[in-house]
Amino acid sequence: MGTRILYEDGASSRPAQNTEKKRTVPRARRLCALALLMLLPLHGLAVDRGRQVVVTKPDDAARLMDAVENAVWAADGKPASKAVYVVYSTECAWSKRLFDETRALVGNVQLRWIPVAGNTAASVVAGRDSTSVGSAFVGRGARADAAAQRGVVYNQGVMDSITYQLRPYDRSKTFAFPTLVYRSGKSVKVVAGNPRNLATLAAEVASEPRAASLVPAGIALTAQAPTLLRSRNLPKWAHLNDTPMIFRAVPSPQAPPIDDLAKDFLVPVSGIVGTTGWIEVAPWGLDKRKAYVHDPLMARMALLDYPVRPQGGQWQAPAVVQVREFPDSDAHVLETLKPGERYRRSGVVEHGGHVWDQIVLYADGAVGYVRR
């Protein structure tokens, strides 16, 4: 979370940091598996103004193009097999200059403007044509609805995705407006800032027949706001698998990847997306833009409704016992206890046709559940 957005005058903005300190809970044998440091590097590094990056690996090139092709872009020029995607702000003077200087270029290629910032950005998402792009630059953006606002947020995810995907290729510290992305031969080229020679740009862009009729997936993905349910039991989500988990801009596998999370890190949960298995998380803070992770098991655990009947006394393991995070047989195992180990009982739960003892498992008062 440290990318600065660079404007034509050198001004920049920096998102606020949001970290979760590592919780160290002493216990005889181990620490709580969920009490870990959260340090999610969303909004990582991108390409400095004046830099060019060529992505040559076929899989990397395809993923990068997929992100920009499915942004909610505005078509500038007639449909064409040659397309140049422009990530920009409607209040960026360099982006306006690019628009003005490319009027003769749009007969040979189609520019596809992806607004990610600016007071009139939503009007471009709503209009999706060259008129809306030009009007927005001079502050005459038309009224935009909530779907258009969601489109801008989705496009911000596309910007994050470019940042994320370029990490193996470039370690710059700013994201320049405008940034151009296009196919060039078998590679994908990323140009940060205005191209030095627009006359050669059209010849450099590779022709792809499917580009002419492309309908970006971002339109459908932002048509409706996700239905969010309150997370009853999951204030923070932890990744527990060895393979990094992908965060996406909206709750869909079609959405652009914006970062990944390593094992045992925590992020705040802001809601559960219906019964889809998607979890809305808030890496930048609960009042900031959200990201989405697909974890059907934990999404279901977050919605469990299980009243706890207080009950004291001591609990003793009658055999080898698995203590689960929630009173559900599919819940993650927090600890495996040996016969005879004793803990304080704090409650009893009847759920799913079974009776569960709630025991105080850790020194900080965190509980677990054992099925009788």
Side-chain angles (χ1 to χ4, degrees):
M1 295 176 58
T3 291
R4 292 179 297 138
I5 298 174
L6 185 66
Y7 295 86
E8 74 283 353
D9 59 357
S12 64
S13 65
R14 184 183 297 277
Q17 296 288 334
N18 179 31
T19 58
E20 176 71 22
K21 294 294 185 181
K22 185 174 181 180
R23 188 181 72 173
T24 55
V25 183
R27 185 175 179 265
R29 295 190 303 146
R30 68 193 71 174
L31 297 177
C32 174
L34 296 179
L36 298 147
L37 173 70
M38 192 283 282
L39 185 61
L40 180 65
L42 293 170
H43 276 305
L45 305 175
V47 187
D48 281 324
R49 176 173 295 282
R51 297 286 298 277
Q52 296 187 8
V53 175
V54 179
V55 179
T56 57
K57 294 181 179 179
D59 289 346
D60 291 351
R63 280 191 291 268
L64 186 58
M65 285 305 300
D66 182 71
V68 295
E69 287 175 346
N70 288 302
V72 189
W73 42 261
D76 182 11
K78 296 180 179 180
S81 60
K82 290 186 173 185
V84 176
Y85 296 86
V86 185
V87 182
Y88 79 108
S89 166
T90 59
E91 296 177 5
C92 170
W94 282 102
S95 299
K96 183 180 185 303
R97 178 177 173 179
L98 177 67
F99 180 79
D100 294 338
E101 292 180 347
T102 52
R103 295 309 83 204
L105 186 66
V106 294
N108 299 315
V109 302
Q110 186 180 60
L111 298 179
R112 295 177 174 177
W113 297 82
I114 303 173
V116 301
N119 291 332
T120 52
S123 68
V124 179
V125 169
R128 297 195 59 239
D129 56 20
S130 59
T131 299
S132 64
V133 175
S135 297
F137 277 129
V138 294
R140 293 201 303 264
R143 188 182 183 95
D145 60 13
Q149 299 290 348
R150 289 193 295 272
V152 175
V153 175
Y154 182 90
N155 286 345
Q156 292 169 356
V158 171
M159 181 179 72
D160 287 342
S161 189
I162 295 172
T163 291
Y164 169 57
Q165 295 189 59
L166 287 184
R167 286 178 190 168
Y169 296 87
D170 189 271
R171 302 298 291 180
S172 303
K173 295 181 180 179
T174 58
F175 195 107
F177 290 154
T179 287
L180 284 65
V181 183
Y182 55 91
R183 296 186 185 275
S184 180
K186 295 182 179 180
S187 304
V188 170
K189 196 167 188 178
V190 180
V191 178
N194 297 49
R196 295 184 179 88
N197 190 343
L198 286 175
T200 63
L201 182 61
E204 195 175 70
V205 179
S207 177
E208 186 178 14
R210 64 178 286 274
S213 58
L214 183 66
V215 177
I219 297 174
L221 294 177
T222 57
Q224 300 291 332
T227 300
L228 289 180
L229 303 175
R230 181 176 65 85
S231 175
R232 296 175 181 270
N233 316 307
L234 199 67
K236 295 178 183 178
W237 176 84
H239 178 39
L240 302 179
N241 299 321
D242 291 331
T243 303
M245 183 69 81
I246 298 293
F247 283 88
R248 296 192 180 273
V250 297
S252 169
Q254 291 181 281
I258 58 177
D259 215 305
D260 57 50
L261 191 70
K263 183 179 179 181
D264 290 337
F265 284 75
L266 285 168
V267 287
V269 171
S270 48
I272 308 300
V273 186
T275 57
T276 64
W278 288 87
I279 299 173
E280 184 184 81
V281 295
W284 296 280
L286 292 173
D287 60 338
K288 305 296 183 182
R289 190 161 56 88
K290 307 303 189 294
Y292 299 87
V293 61
H294 192 242
D295 188 343
L297 173 61
M298 292 308 293
R300 185 169 71 82
M301 295 297 109
L303 299 176
L304 288 181
D305 185 8
Y306 54 93
V308 179
R309 177 165 51 88
Q311 182 174 325
Q314 190 176 69
W315 176 91
Q316 179 174 314
V320 175
V321 171
Q322 290 182 328
V323 185
R324 296 189 180 272
E325 187 177 2
F326 301 102
D328 189 286
S329 297
D330 293 330
H332 291 300
V333 174
L334 294 177
E335 300 283 353
T336 299
L337 306 180
K338 296 178 181 179
E341 289 196 63
R342 297 181 180 184
Y343 293 85
R344 179 170 62 87
R345 180 191 290 110
S346 53
V348 174
V349 176
E350 294 185 16
H351 178 72
H354 301 285
V355 178
W356 298 76
D357 285 303
Q358 182 190 71
I359 63 173
V360 180
L361 191 60
Y362 299 113
D364 68 344
V367 300
Y369 299 86
V370 179
R371 199 175 88 177
R372 290 185 182 177

